[in-house]
Amino acid sequence: MRVLRALIGGVLICAGAPLAGQSAAPPPAAGGWEEEASTLTINALLGGVAAGAVRALRGGSFADGFVRGAAGGALVYAGKRVAVERWYGAGLAGREVAAVGTSIIRNTADGRALLERLALPLWIGRVYVTTGPRVSVQPRLDLATTVSMAFQAFEPGSRLDVSRSVSAGAPVFVVYSSGQEWVGYQRAGVVLLRHPAEYRGMEDPIPEEVGIPLERSAAHERVHVLQVDQAFLLFAAPIEDWLLDRSAATARIHRWVDLGVVTAALYLPELLIPYDRRPWEREADFMAALPR
């Protein structure tokens, strides 16, 4: 039980910040190579512990699971590192790299080959690719992300930024609003970026005093999207699979839809930990502030 509690705690740390907005205050300065190395190490350790603990609980080798899971965790870190870059498509590329790393952790925990099953998130869904023993491709709609996107689409002063969405690999909305402190927000895989109301209708690039913190915030929120991907596949998806595949009727629905409802339980740490002490916020702040 101690191992199980440690595993759940580690996954919660990876859960991201689905309900928290990034403050407009300047972020901390980027750390040096030591902080980058420690962030890589933490991601690798989380992957190793997650995979190794489940393998041990199922009667397998913790050491073997740890090594393979740590490799997957390192790849998750690499995906986050790519996702915060400023070149077009970095968010999409980083999201897929991290998804392969998370899939390796999940496959190891489940006793499968490293790349036997890949869960690749794309905007409002996922593509599940099985590479063996039989090759198959199964798309699934992410219901939680779809509902979040639909809700935001009808919010006054909000518009879908198609170009940013393509680049990020996730839905991105620009919200025109003044008198609020937040700059960026992430909710169930949907990124919100606030523009002052007076800039509505203005073509990019917007003024530098708005554009620089906005791009930094966009990178910060892209890290949260990857954190939520990781938490879903490692923690929420196994529970959802167990619940929905128990009957033929729900299994037919689940073939095409990830409900994402269980992921709501991962919001609980938001209520318990102050913003400036949340490990997932510190990771996103650090990575978004890295020199470009």
Side-chain angles (χ1 to χ4, degrees):
M1 289 302 294
R2 290 181 180 177
V3 173
L4 182 59
R5 286 196 294 268
L7 169 60
I8 293 174
V11 173
L12 289 175
I13 288 175
C14 297
L19 300 178
Q22 187 186 9
S23 169
W33 69 267
E34 299 94 340
E35 188 166 358
E36 192 154 3
S38 68
T39 305
L40 167 60
T41 300
I42 290 171
N43 277 270
L45 285 174
L46 286 173
V49 170
V54 174
R55 291 303 299 143
L57 288 171
R58 293 178 174 176
S61 167
F62 175 86
D64 181 65
F66 180 87
V67 171
R68 294 168 183 260
L75 196 56
V76 171
Y77 168 80
K80 293 173 181 176
R81 189 65 176 81
V82 171
V84 297
E85 294 294 331
R86 304 298 194 261
W87 42 271
Y88 194 80
L92 174 59
R95 193 175 189 189
E96 302 316 308
V97 170
V100 173
T102 305
S103 297
I104 288 174
I105 300 170
R106 175 75 187 275
N107 286 334
T108 299
D110 290 343
R112 294 190 289 253
L114 290 183
L115 301 177
E116 184 172 329
R117 190 168 188 258
L118 304 176
L120 306 176
L122 290 168
W123 298 286
I124 60 171
R126 292 179 187 84
V127 177
Y128 291 86
V129 180
T130 302
T131 62
R134 288 173 47 187
V135 177
S136 67
V137 177
Q138 178 63 53
R140 283 186 189 172
L141 183 72
D142 185 312
L143 186 61
T145 300
T146 302
V147 170
S148 178
M149 181 178 175
F151 174 83
Q152 193 59 40
F154 288 98
E155 279 289 291
S158 180
R159 70 171 175 86
L160 178 67
D161 190 318
V162 176
S163 179
R164 280 196 175 101
S165 297
V166 171
S167 178
V172 178
F173 284 84
V174 171
V175 180
Y176 294 96
S177 176
S178 295
Q180 300 184 39
E181 294 185 355
W182 66 276
V183 179
Y185 218 72
Q186 188 277 138
R187 183 182 59 217
V190 176
V191 173
L192 313 181
L193 300 174
R194 186 178 70 84
H195 282 39
E198 58 268 25
Y199 293 115
R200 187 167 191 170
M202 182 180 293
E203 296 293 331
D204 287 337
I206 60 177
E208 184 175 278
E209 67 273 13
V210 175
I212 290 178
L214 186 71
E215 290 308 314
R216 185 186 295 123
S217 180
H220 176 107
E221 302 307 329
R222 290 197 296 271
V223 174
H224 284 328
V225 170
L226 271 60
Q227 291 169 338
V228 172
D229 287 342
Q230 186 178 8
F232 173 81
L233 190 61
L234 297 183
F235 179 70
I239 299 174
E240 192 167 297
D241 292 346
W242 181 80
L243 289 173
L244 296 181
D245 293 343
R246 292 169 65 84
S247 74
T250 55
R252 283 195 293 270
I253 296 173
H254 191 218
R255 181 182 178 187
W256 298 100
V257 178
D258 282 329
L259 298 183
V261 175
V262 178
T263 313
L266 301 175
Y267 300 165
L268 294 177
E270 300 284 335
L271 305 176
L272 303 175
I273 305 175
Y275 181 90
D276 59 353
R277 294 184 181 180
R278 297 170 187 166
W280 53 91
E281 293 292 350
R282 291 183 176 181
E283 179 183 59
D285 276 343
F286 163 67
M287 302 198 83
L290 288 170
R292 296 287 173 263

